[in-house]
Amino acid sequence: MISAGIVVEYNPFHNGHLHHLNETKKRTDADVVIAVMSGNFLQRGEPAIVSKFARTKMALQAGCDIVVELPYAFAVQQAEIFADGAVRILASLGCRYLCFGSESGDINAFLDTFHWLERQKGRFDEILKEKMRLGFSYPKAAALAYSEMEGDGALLDLSQPNNILGYQYVKAIKDRQLDIIPLTIPRIKAGYHDPEFSSDTIASATSIRKAIFSEKGDLEPLKRYMPESSFEELLRFKREYGAWQNWENYWPFLKYRIIQSSPGELREIYDMEEGIEYRVREAAFRADSFQSFMEKLKTKRYTWTRLQRLSTHILMNAKKEEMKTYCQKPEYARLLGFSKRGRQYLNRMKEELAIPLIAKASSRDGGAFELDKRAGYIYSFGFPPSVRQRVLEEEYKRPPVMAE
Amino acid sequence: MISAGIVVEYNPFHNGHLHHLNETKKRTDADVVIAVMSGNFLQRGEPAIVSKFARTKMALQAGCDIVVELPYAFAVQQAEIFADGAVRILASLGCRYLCFGSESGDINAFLDTFHWLERQKGRFDEILKEKMRLGFSYPKAAALAYSEMEGDGALLDLSQPNNILGYQYVKAIKDRQLDIIPLTIPRIKAGYHDPEFSSDTIASATSIRKAIFSEKGDLEPLKRYMPESSFEELLRFKREYGAWQNWENYWPFLKYRIIQSSPGELREIYDMEEGIEYRVREAAFRADSFQSFMEKLKTKRYTWTRLQRLSTHILMNAKKEEMKTYCQKPEYARLLGFSKRGRQYLNRMKEELAIPLIAKASSRDGGAFELDKRAGYIYSFGFPPSVRQRVLEEEYKRPPVMAE
């Protein structure tokens, strides 16, 4: 059986994701599609709007065959480490293909850029360092360095977020010499012509979340942008658990944690750098919402995303030591759900899997997985008090979701 | 000017306290009464029902002249350390008398017991150790040891909580050779005859809190047990801040903190002993209220009070290292409020005060006082989200209360 891998967050699942899933099947002719998905905290340093189990359901109902969790130590990370972890897990599960969406849509642009940058690495790093010395954040500095070097023909627009991620997937495959064929499809946006996925039915996950958390909160208009099953799951989740999650739900706990900690303790948190712990304490003391905390914290040097990731690590008590250790190499994959065909695939592959699959949180202790479990437990604190305990225990006991 | 000291918590202020205050004045003929009062977390390891500022108001309105805060490092402690800190602060402020309430009511019983136990220390410690080896908690073991030695005439019933505290006050005065005269008055209870303070108008703070948090929550019947000004302050506090505090309000934060911590981090918390950190984690994981957490945690070896204090230290992130350092010696007193006469006293005594008085939290950094500030900040998390920021900043900026 042939499998194709995809890297996803599904926050929440929408028609753009469905297009990506269908195109992956079409272009690879794979028997199964395996999604490696961030858990309850995402790459941009945010809690997921619905739990990983709900997002797994959405994925399976839309035609995914296997969903595994990207461990926290890779998920809440900058693009390079995120991509490295995701691609290596897919390789460990035997994926022949990796198919990702990008603004470019041309896989040769990625491959050529990779080789070209390999040759130019010295010069690139030099310009990058110079830009960061001037106070630019890492992604901004990298984009500037890259665009200064673009003289010999623009290969890939690396100021685009999905091109950056795609580049990192390709780089991980090449650097690790993985036996995976990378493919890319263009992301659909307004103006992209596709009979099935016109701009009328495509909206970004960001704009969908924005609509969900808007004052009006009328969800009916969202129906056109999501598969019906995902839309229903979104509603069911709120009905059953009383809340969709966003950072504000966790703000009291984040603030409490910061107020309670000494600067020395904050310095142990992953991604806490250069005396920013004092700024964090000062901002937390004065802010009465996550939004105002972030506004007080923001400087030119740090991107919003990076500060959100830092906030997640504080909320999680994720230490430098553990994060640096556990992001070296994925050592397991937690199985979140599978279809009938997914199960067949896993049965056949059993002997060849390069890492163990974990079916239940309660069945493994220690190491990097403690971080994943903790993330699941901490996620429960965003819910109304009456359902927190249920969410917490679900994380611990729940078996993988099986597609109906 | 002559001053008399008292050690109080006023949680909340009631007629028994008023009696103690009036008797102190009567028996010492002092010009001012100085109360050293636990801050927002109390000796039994609980949040105070109303803030230290509100309790200070109650005290001043009832006739207290000066209220200073007992630092956290002494307040949330077993009787011996609590008493040591309180008595030394009163001595530093120049108190000639210390007047405490006790079940005994006879100061000679305290003094004789102190001398008798000094002579018998070896034997007492031996029996105490034996009882603790059998699994009894410290106070229970001490009471048992004491009663086994009572053969030569019962001097003082040391199974009574206020006798225990009183004994520790006397012991601190003697051990530290402080120039303070100890006095005691009998606590009023049902059956005690006093025209002004009959059993009809006396109720314990515990039973008053119980009535406040009861289902019915009808406060009118409490009026008879409290001075009117205290009753009004109690109501005003709820109106203004939206809540009276109890442990359940802090439970989500305590649980979050425990879930987020490794066993190694929990071991650093003051009072965490003998592998109990695993029990704490297990209980927190399964409990959905503070009450159920405590019930899961309770064993014969640990008293309820001790486990509540441990919980407070976890909530506060109060470490072994800091607590052990800062409970050696009180190095300041935070001034919470004063009357006109109290101000006169402080002005005259200015040169003779053995420790600095702190008027505002913002005016001092570092050392033991960081713990006190943190306690004030953490106290804010028990309030409804909309007033938390106000409570937090009040702790930082508020000057002492002045009696009208």
Side-chain angles (χ1 to χ4, degrees):
Chain A
M1 285 174 94
I2 304 296
S3 67
I6 56 180
V7 185
V8 306
E9 297 208 302
Y10 293 160
N11 189 40
F13 194 97
H14 58 58
N15 287 341
H17 298 129
L18 182 59
H19 172 71
H20 172 222
L21 189 55
N22 290 342
E23 284 293 307
T24 298
K25 290 179 183 175
K26 208 185 291 178
R27 296 198 184 193
T28 63
D29 207 24
D31 302 297
V32 295
V33 174
I34 304 180
V36 57
M37 184 177 82
S38 303
N40 290 332
F41 293 94
L42 307 178
Q43 202 247 331
R44 286 170 52 84
E46 296 173 323
I49 187 167
V50 295
S51 77
K52 57 190 168 196
F53 301 113
R55 281 147 53 231
T56 295
K57 265 188 212 165
M58 292 177 180
L60 295 176
Q61 283 163 337
C64 236
D65 297 293
I66 295 170
V67 182
V68 296
E69 182 173 347
L70 183 63
Y72 182 90
F74 295 100
V76 186
Q77 289 275 18
Q78 39 138 310
E80 188 168 2
I81 300 173
F82 176 88
D84 187 52
V87 169
R88 289 166 85 183
I89 284 182
L90 292 176
S92 301
L93 301 181
C95 289
R96 180 175 298 178
Y97 301 100
L98 166 70
C99 183
F100 59 88
S102 64
E103 290 83 3
S104 151
D106 172 13
I107 195 64
N108 288 319
F110 286 90
L111 294 166
D112 292 350
T113 299
F114 171 76
H115 293 299
W116 178 70
L117 268 178
E118 280 296 285
R119 291 192 302 271
Q120 304 280 330
K121 199 166 170 7
R123 203 177 133 222
F124 180 83
D125 287 351
E126 212 168 90
I127 308 178
L128 180 79
K129 211 183 274 176
E130 172 62 16
K131 297 293 173 195
M132 288 186 71
R133 211 183 49 76
L134 292 174
F136 290 106
S137 67
Y138 177 85
K140 183 78 187 165
L144 286 170
Y146 183 78
S147 78
E148 275 194 23
M149 292 169 60
E150 264 178 335
D152 40 12
L155 296 158
L156 193 60
D157 179 358
L158 277 184
S159 70
Q160 301 282 348
N162 290 280
N163 284 351
I164 294 176
L165 266 177
Y167 173 78
Q168 296 295 351
Y169 297 142
V170 169
K171 184 170 181 301
I173 290 171
K174 296 294 173 190
D175 284 351
R176 304 286 180 193
Q177 300 182 298
L178 301 175
D179 193 16
I180 291 191
I181 301 162
L183 298 171
T184 188
I185 58 163
R187 278 167 60 90
I188 313 168
K189 41 186 185 248
Y192 180 86
H193 298 299
D194 179 300
E196 206 184 333
F197 296 100
S198 74
S199 58
D200 286 356
T201 59
I202 295 291
S204 69
T206 306
S207 64
I208 291 175
R209 290 196 302 277
K210 208 172 153 187
I212 289 172
F213 289 115
S214 74
E215 289 290 306
K216 280 170 55 204
D218 175 15
L219 299 190
E220 282 302 304
L222 292 181
K223 265 186 157 167
R224 66 193 306 172
Y225 302 115
M226 306 171 73
E228 201 187 325
S229 56
S230 296
F231 185 77
E232 291 304 326
E233 181 60 25
L234 193 64
L235 296 187
R236 187 197 63 82
F237 190 85
K238 174 78 174 286
R239 261 196 324 273
E240 197 165 322
Y241 296 98
W244 292 303
Q245 298 307 320
N246 64 24
W247 248 119
E248 295 301 345
N249 298 355
Y250 297 86
W251 167 243
F253 297 98
L254 178 65
K255 176 164 177 160
Y256 160 74
R257 175 54 180 155
I258 295 171
I259 296 281
Q260 194 220 39
S261 304
S262 66
E265 286 176 290
L266 290 178
R267 267 194 297 279
E268 290 177 27
I269 298 293
Y270 187 65
D271 261 1
M272 187 77 73
E273 273 173 30
E274 305 163 13
I276 199 181
E277 67 272 21
Y278 296 100
R279 224 181 137 75
V280 164
R281 272 163 62 99
E282 182 62 23
F285 188 88
R286 289 186 299 127
D288 62 357
S289 69
F290 184 72
Q291 179 69 23
S292 71
F293 170 68
M294 286 292 291
E295 282 162 7
K296 290 183 207 310
L297 201 55
K298 183 81 183 77
T299 64
K300 185 176 156 204
R301 177 176 288 277
Y302 301 104
T303 62
W304 189 273
T305 299
R306 181 161 169 198
L307 293 173
Q308 281 202 156
R309 278 200 293 266
L310 175 62
S311 301
T312 307
H313 297 319
I314 299 172
L315 183 74
M316 268 284 291
N317 197 18
K319 302 278 174 61
K320 287 189 170 103
E321 211 190 306
E322 49 188 349
M323 288 294 283
K324 282 178 183 166
T325 304
Y326 299 140
C327 78
Q328 292 304 311
K329 194 185 169 206
E331 307 220 321
Y332 57 85
R334 177 168 181 182
L335 185 59
L336 292 177
F338 48 81
S339 66
K340 225 168 168 177
R341 209 158 359 154
R343 187 211 293 260
Q344 277 170 15
Y345 176 84
L346 292 175
N347 279 338
R348 286 203 204 168
M349 286 289 292
K350 226 183 300 182
E351 310 297 316
E352 293 164 56
L353 296 180
I355 50 175
L357 279 182
I358 302 174
K360 262 195 211 180
S362 56
S363 65
R364 188 182 170 111
D365 286 321
F369 195 57
E370 288 297 325
L371 268 177
D372 295 2
K373 286 205 256 187
R374 202 194 304 158
Y377 302 155
I378 299 281
Y379 188 69
S380 73
F381 288 90
F383 289 83
S386 60
V387 294
R388 270 180 208 158
Q389 191 60 19
R390 186 151 62 89
V391 175
L392 181 77
E393 294 189 10
E394 221 169 67
E395 171 64 30
Y396 189 64
K397 293 180 197 161
R398 177 156 185 165
V401 179
M402 282 180 276
E404 282 142 29
Chain B
M1 287 173 92
I2 304 297
S3 65
I6 54 179
V7 185
V8 306
E9 297 208 302
Y10 293 160
N11 189 40
F13 194 97
H14 58 59
N15 287 340
H17 298 130
L18 182 59
H19 172 71
H20 172 222
L21 189 56
N22 291 340
E23 284 293 306
T24 298
K25 289 177 182 173
K26 207 184 289 175
R27 297 198 184 192
T28 63
D29 207 24
D31 302 297
V32 294
V33 174
I34 304 181
V36 59
M37 185 176 83
S38 303
N40 290 331
F41 293 94
L42 308 177
Q43 202 246 332
R44 287 172 50 83
E46 295 173 324
I49 187 167
V50 297
S51 77
K52 57 189 170 197
F53 300 113
R55 281 147 53 230
T56 295
K57 265 189 212 164
M58 293 176 178
L60 295 175
Q61 284 163 339
C64 235
D65 298 293
I66 295 171
V67 182
V68 296
E69 181 173 347
L70 182 63
Y72 181 90
F74 295 100
V76 186
Q77 289 276 18
Q78 41 138 310
E80 187 168 3
I81 300 174
F82 175 88
D84 187 53
V87 169
R88 290 167 86 183
I89 283 182
L90 292 175
S92 302
L93 301 180
C95 289
R96 180 174 299 178
Y97 302 99
L98 166 70
C99 182
F100 59 90
S102 63
E103 290 82 3
S104 152
D106 173 12
I107 195 65
N108 289 320
F110 286 90
L111 294 166
D112 292 349
T113 300
F114 171 75
H115 293 300
W116 177 70
L117 267 179
E118 280 296 285
R119 291 192 303 271
Q120 305 280 331
K121 200 168 168 7
R123 202 176 133 223
F124 180 83
D125 287 350
E126 212 168 273
I127 307 179
L128 181 78
K129 211 183 273 176
E130 171 62 15
K131 297 292 174 195
M132 288 186 71
R133 212 184 47 76
L134 291 174
F136 289 106
S137 67
Y138 176 85
K140 184 77 187 163
L144 286 170
Y146 182 78
S147 78
E148 273 193 23
M149 292 170 60
E150 264 178 336
D152 38 12
L155 297 157
L156 193 60
D157 179 358
L158 276 184
S159 70
Q160 300 282 347
N162 290 280
N163 285 350
I164 294 177
L165 265 176
Y167 173 78
Q168 296 294 351
Y169 297 142
V170 170
K171 185 170 181 299
I173 290 171
K174 295 295 172 191
D175 284 351
R176 304 286 180 193
Q177 301 183 298
L178 301 175
D179 194 15
I180 291 190
I181 301 163
L183 299 170
T184 189
I185 57 163
R187 279 168 59 92
I188 315 167
K189 40 186 185 248
Y192 181 85
H193 297 300
D194 179 300
E196 205 185 335
F197 297 103
S198 74
S199 58
D200 286 356
T201 59
I202 295 290
S204 68
T206 306
S207 63
I208 291 175
R209 291 196 302 277
K210 208 172 155 186
I212 290 172
F213 290 115
S214 74
E215 289 290 308
K216 280 169 56 203
D218 176 16
L219 300 191
E220 282 302 304
L222 292 181
K223 264 185 158 166
R224 66 193 308 171
Y225 302 115
M226 305 172 72
E228 200 186 324
S229 56
S230 295
F231 185 77
E232 290 305 325
E233 181 60 24
L234 193 63
L235 295 188
R236 188 197 63 81
F237 189 85
K238 173 78 175 287
R239 261 199 321 274
E240 197 164 321
Y241 297 98
W244 293 303
Q245 298 308 321
N246 63 24
W247 248 120
E248 295 302 344
N249 298 355
Y250 298 87
W251 167 242
F253 297 98
L254 178 65
K255 175 163 177 160
Y256 160 73
R257 176 53 180 154
I258 296 170
I259 296 281
Q260 195 219 39
S261 305
S262 66
E265 286 174 290
L266 290 178
R267 267 194 297 278
E268 289 176 30
I269 299 294
Y270 187 64
D271 261 1
M272 188 77 73
E273 272 171 32
E274 304 162 15
I276 199 183
E277 67 273 21
Y278 296 100
R279 224 180 136 76
V280 164
R281 272 163 61 100
E282 181 63 21
F285 189 89
R286 288 186 299 127
D288 62 356
S289 69
F290 183 72
Q291 180 69 23
S292 71
F293 170 67
M294 287 291 290
E295 282 161 9
K296 290 182 206 311
L297 202 54
K298 184 82 182 74
T299 63
K300 184 176 156 204
R301 178 176 288 276
Y302 300 104
T303 62
W304 189 273
T305 299
R306 178 157 172 204
L307 293 173
Q308 281 201 155
R309 278 200 293 266
L310 176 61
S311 300
T312 306
H313 298 319
I314 299 172
L315 183 74
M316 268 285 291
N317 197 19
K319 301 280 173 62
K320 286 188 169 105
E321 211 190 306
E322 49 187 351
M323 289 294 283
K324 282 178 182 166
T325 304
Y326 299 141
C327 78
Q328 293 302 313
K329 194 184 171 208
E331 308 221 320
Y332 57 86
R334 177 168 181 182
L335 185 60
L336 292 177
F338 48 81
S339 66
K340 225 169 169 176
R341 204 150 12 143
R343 187 212 293 262
Q344 277 169 16
Y345 176 85
L346 291 174
N347 279 337
R348 286 203 204 167
M349 286 289 292
K350 226 184 302 186
E351 310 297 315
E352 293 163 56
L353 296 180
I355 50 174
L357 279 181
I358 302 174
K360 261 194 214 181
S362 56
S363 64
R364 188 180 171 112
D365 286 320
F369 195 57
E370 288 297 323
L371 267 177
D372 295 3
K373 286 206 257 186
R374 203 192 306 158
Y377 302 155
I378 299 282
Y379 188 69
S380 73
F381 288 90
F383 290 83
S386 60
V387 294
R388 270 180 209 160
Q389 190 60 18
R390 187 151 62 86
V391 175
L392 181 77
E393 293 190 10
E394 221 168 67
E395 171 64 30
Y396 189 65
K397 294 180 196 160
R398 180 159 183 162
V401 179
M402 282 180 278
E404 281 140 31

